[in-house]
Amino acid sequence: MAEVTEVRALTGAALDAALDDVARLRIAVFRAWPYLYDGDLDYERDYLQAYRNSERAIVVGAFDGERLIGAATGMPLADHADDFAAAFAGSGVALSEVFYCAESVLLPEYRGYGVGHRFFDLREGHARALGFAKCAFCGVQRPADHPLKPDNYRPLDAFWCARGYKKLPGVVAHFGWKDLDQDHETDKPLQFWIRDI
């Protein structure tokens, strides 16, 4: 049985040191449904640079011994204004009051042991300590009849609802990436979820 020995918050130098491992986890985990992400390390390093640049960013690391086997990231939503301002326009929610819980990636053999809850607990605690009133995240939306959807897929909606998150009606961001079965990048809709903390 795979065993998570520790889940802890990483900031500053510890965050910086973990980012290459976070990049590798993102590539591995997001290859699966529903992201189907055909990623590469150079893109990931560029994407994760924002966490190096934000003094209020956090990475929550899950470890099996010294090996990083899962990670969750977060930073103020306003630090992503270029990506999300259009999605939140007209929503009545100010980007400045929201902490963005970005990705949560965990190797499959370590799932089902409460690590996902710890990822949210530590990011929400970090957001509260920084004075934020809300936490939000977004998840990709795929057609129900997508040909690569596994028969046994269970969406995480029930988990998110149990943590107090609700869909934010009409707040949908669009990001492009190359799917495993495609030869070029296409835009995908990502629905935002939010909760008061």
Side-chain angles (χ1 to χ4, degrees), residues 140-180:
V140 68
Q141 297 179 299
R142 293 283 192 175
D145 61 350
H146 193 288
L148 296 183
K149 181 181 177 183
D151 292 337
N152 64 347
Y153 174 70
R154 282 189 1 206
L156 293 172
D157 296 29
F159 170 79
W160 297 329
C161 288
R163 290 206 58 95
Y165 286 88
K166 294 184 173 137
K167 286 183 181 179
L168 198 50
V171 180
V172 177
H174 293 269
F175 283 98
W177 65 83
K178 182 180 162 312
D179 283 2
L180 294 172

Side-chain angles (χ1 to χ4, degrees), residues 15-141:
L15 179 154
D16 189 67
L19 287 181
D20 268 6
D21 287 335
V22 173
R24 284 186 277 276
L25 280 169
R26 278 177 43 90
I27 291 168
V29 172
F30 284 153
R31 284 183 71 81
W33 177 268
Y35 285 88
L36 304 173
Y37 171 57
D38 189 11
D40 68 77
L41 204 52
D42 287 339
Y43 173 86
E44 288 298 315
R45 286 176 172 147
D46 184 57
Y47 165 79
L48 291 168
Q49 187 63 37
Y51 293 89
R52 284 192 174 96
N53 296 342
S54 174
E55 292 181 0
R56 298 185 294 170
I58 186 173
V59 170
V60 178
F63 295 86
D64 182 345
E66 294 300 311
R67 179 180 169 227
L68 187 72
I69 50 80
T73 61
M75 70 168 54
L77 188 61
D79 290 358
H80 282 282
D82 291 347
D83 298 326
F84 297 136
F88 276 82
S91 69
V93 177
L95 270 62
S96 61
E97 65 184 27
V98 181
F99 190 83
Y100 176 51
C101 293
E103 50 272 310
S104 294
V105 289
L106 183 65
L107 294 176
E109 61 269 32
Y110 294 91
R111 296 174 189 166
Y113 299 101
V115 176
H117 283 292
R118 291 292 293 145
F119 281 168
F120 274 101
D121 290 344
L122 290 171
R123 288 182 297 179
E124 289 167 2
H126 181 74
R128 273 192 294 274
L130 291 172
F132 285 92
K134 302 174 185 300
C135 278
F137 66 89
C138 57
V140 68
Q141 297 179 299

